[in-house]
Amino acid sequence: MSEQPTPAAPESTTGDPGTPPRTRGAAVVSRRRLLGTAGATGVVLGTAGALAGRSTAAPAGDTPLASVGSGQSPFHGRHQSGISSDLQSSGHLVAFDLVPGSGRKEAAALLRRWSATAERLMSGEPAGDGDTGVALDAGPASLTITFGLGRSFFDRTGLASRRPDALAPLPPYSSDRIDKSRSEGDLWVQIGANDSLVAFHALRAIQRDAGSAARVRWQMNGFNRSPGATSHPMTARNLMGQVDGTRNPRPDEKDFEQKVFVPADGEPDWMANGSYAVVRRIRMLLDDWEKLSRGEQEKVIGRRKADGAPLSGGTETSDMDLEKTDAEGDLVVPFTAHARISRPDYNQGVTILRRLFSYHDGFGEDGAPDAGMLFVCWQADPMRGFVPLQFHLDRGDALSQYIRHEASGLYAVPGGAAQGEYVGQRLLEG
């Protein structure tokens, strides 16, 4: 985990953070969305009844329940959706390997199929022939489907000479307990939606489209708090109960693009406007964490658990006073606090865009919960982003003894597809 978590800025429905977001509900009406809207009219948002009797016109920034299904993200755009988009309440991460005998031609056909399916599903339409019908009565629910390419993809397709230098193997870290069977992969897909059935429907459609060209290597399922679950928008919490999203870079910041995306004239040329995703399955050792008092937990993080404010005082967004001491002369924010060590100004300006899901996969043989974070971070160059930041965290972060990295992957995520294109076309047909 890092002090640079999930984005709170409004989602751009053009796939381009520089474009003003489309008004929710103004998207094209589909059969699924009409049915979803009809079904939503009888439901009341239940934050302890706090919104009962309130006008249907919600205050700016609030998310009335009826709008959840109508949220729509675009497939086409300068960047793929699912990078700077708002967090969704349900998600799946899945990696595929091309089967023996599948090469560049088969990979191109597969990405063409996947792109066509993603475009339909993200607009709220059925997947096509053989649609399972799982989400027929739902709207798009802010569905995003994002595609990435692993290091091995370039060997399988004879394109090793066009593999980016930034797609180098990640170095090992002391907190790593990496299961190779749940790591890497030729192709990677991130699916997110604000409805679990919509997300599952997309997952099944992507798996079916893989056909005989690719097989699933691994799959992980995650969740977040649902939109409208709180009476006003709030930064997300993780399974440790910590506010997790305070210092993430925002799309409205002037240097956001250069931190997160490969420039239009960058190298290699087919990665223009793309990004790199580091994916880590981070298990939280919750039994150990929950033995700590609240005060001890706060010192590990460097922030108050109640509201995410720095221990030095103020509100969640207040600047952290790193020199402030208590009555005994000890630093209020300890040297080893996660929030101190992960700061960009402690890491030569390194900034990553985190976009995560929580997960819970039952219990291990020792009875400890198998739960934690599906960590996805985005950057223009992982060798200048995640890699040096994780080295710094690995050497002194107090949080390290309460987490374990159990799976890992690094993927090149091409820029968004223009009308008439599929994701990765500039690589595969260039």
Side-chain angles (χ1 to χ4, degrees):
M1 295 190 292
S2 115
E3 174 68 359
Q4 312 177 59
T6 48
E11 173 183 344
S12 166
T13 59
T14 64
D16 178 355
T19 305
R22 181 185 300 176
T23 302
R24 290 188 184 271
V28 176
V29 176
S30 70
R31 178 168 59 91
R32 284 176 56 197
R33 293 190 55 213
L34 282 170
L35 290 168
T37 302
T41 56
V43 187
V44 177
L45 178 58
T47 313
L51 299 186
R54 186 183 284 184
S55 166
T56 55
D62 282 7
T63 305
L65 182 62
S67 75
V68 171
S70 64
Q72 184 173 335
S73 297
F75 174 73
H76 296 292
R78 188 155 52 98
H79 310 303
Q80 290 194 60
S81 292
I83 300 175
S84 59
S85 309
D86 288 346
L87 284 180
Q88 298 115 315
S89 61
S90 181
H92 304 284
L93 307 180
V94 56
F96 294 81
D97 284 335
L98 295 169
V99 302
S102 289
R104 182 172 178 175
K105 178 181 178 181
E106 290 76 15
L110 174 57
L111 283 164
R112 188 181 296 112
R113 288 196 300 274
W114 275 352
S115 295
T117 295
E119 182 177 8
R120 287 193 293 267
L121 293 178
M122 287 169 61
S123 67
E125 301 298 333
D129 293 341
D131 184 271
T132 61
V134 171
L136 282 177
D137 51 353
S142 301
L143 174 68
T144 59
I145 305 176
T146 315
F147 302 105
L149 311 174
R151 181 176 176 81
S152 55
F153 176 86
F154 298 85
D155 298 316
R156 298 285 183 89
T157 56
L159 292 166
S161 64
R162 304 195 70 191
R163 179 167 47 213
D165 292 339
L167 205 58
L170 295 176
Y173 301 99
S174 66
S175 61
D176 284 358
R177 303 291 185 274
I178 302 300
D179 178 353
K180 292 184 178 180
S181 68
R182 295 193 296 181
S183 301
E184 304 300 343
D186 297 342
L187 296 138
W188 173 71
V189 186
Q190 173 191 258
I191 296 168
N194 282 329
D195 179 82
S196 296
L197 285 179
V198 169
F200 177 80
H201 179 241
L203 174 66
R204 289 297 299 139
I206 291 297
Q207 290 173 335
R208 285 162 57 93
D209 277 353
S212 60
R215 63 176 183 271
V216 173
R217 178 179 177 87
W218 56 260
Q219 178 192 322
M220 301 174 191
N221 311 311
F223 59 90
N224 284 305
R225 175 173 278 161
S226 298
T230 55
S231 59
H232 58 88
M234 295 178 63
T235 308
R237 288 187 184 271
N238 60 37
L239 297 189
M240 288 178 161
Q242 299 294 146
V243 172
D244 198 342
T246 303
R247 293 180 59 87
N248 225 28
R250 297 172 56 93
D252 58 1
E253 295 174 2
K254 62 180 181 180
D255 55 354
F256 179 86
E257 288 269 325
Q258 68 185 59
K259 291 175 179 176
V260 177
F261 296 106
V262 176
D265 59 353
E267 293 292 336
D269 57 356
W270 63 267
M271 273 294 290
N273 300 312
S275 189
Y276 291 91
V278 174
V279 180
R280 309 279 277 187
R281 184 181 190 272
I282 303 176
R283 185 170 181 176
M284 295 177 172
L285 307 182
L286 294 178
D287 283 349
D288 293 336
W289 176 254
E290 290 164 3
K291 291 175 183 176
L292 301 178
S293 67
R294 174 170 290 207
E296 290 170 329
Q297 291 177 354
E298 291 179 337
K299 287 182 178 179
V300 169
I301 302 299
R303 289 181 174 274
R304 292 199 302 251
K305 195 167 187 177
D307 57 8
L311 295 183
S312 55
T315 66
E316 181 185 349
T317 57
S318 296
D319 289 336
M320 186 174 290
D321 184 350
L322 299 175
E323 305 303 322
K324 186 175 182 178
T325 57
D326 59 21
E328 286 73 39
D330 296 322
L331 287 170
V332 173
V333 181
F335 271 122
T336 58
H338 178 75
R340 176 190 287 267
I341 290 180
S342 63
R343 290 170 59 91
D345 54 353
Y346 267 48
N347 292 276
Q348 298 181 321
V350 167
T351 303
I352 57 175
L353 173 66
R354 292 177 21 143
R355 200 169 180 280
L356 56 88
F357 292 98
S358 294
Y359 77 87
H360 179 219
D361 289 340
F363 297 84
E365 292 181 0
D366 60 356
D370 183 1
M373 177 186 299
L374 302 182
F375 170 97
V376 182
C377 74
W378 302 89
Q379 59 260 281
D381 183 348
M383 300 303 123
R384 298 181 180 179
F386 173 82
V387 170
L389 175 60
Q390 187 60 31
F391 267 133
H392 194 186
L393 292 170
D394 205 43
R395 289 197 298 266
D397 182 9
L399 185 61
S400 295
Q401 63 182 303
Y402 301 102
I403 60 175
R404 188 164 62 219
H405 293 236
E406 297 187 335
S408 178
L410 171 60
Y411 307 94
V413 176
Q419 290 287 343
E421 285 187 343
Y422 63 86
V423 173
Q425 182 171 335
R426 281 162 272 178
L427 167 66
L428 289 161
E429 298 185 13

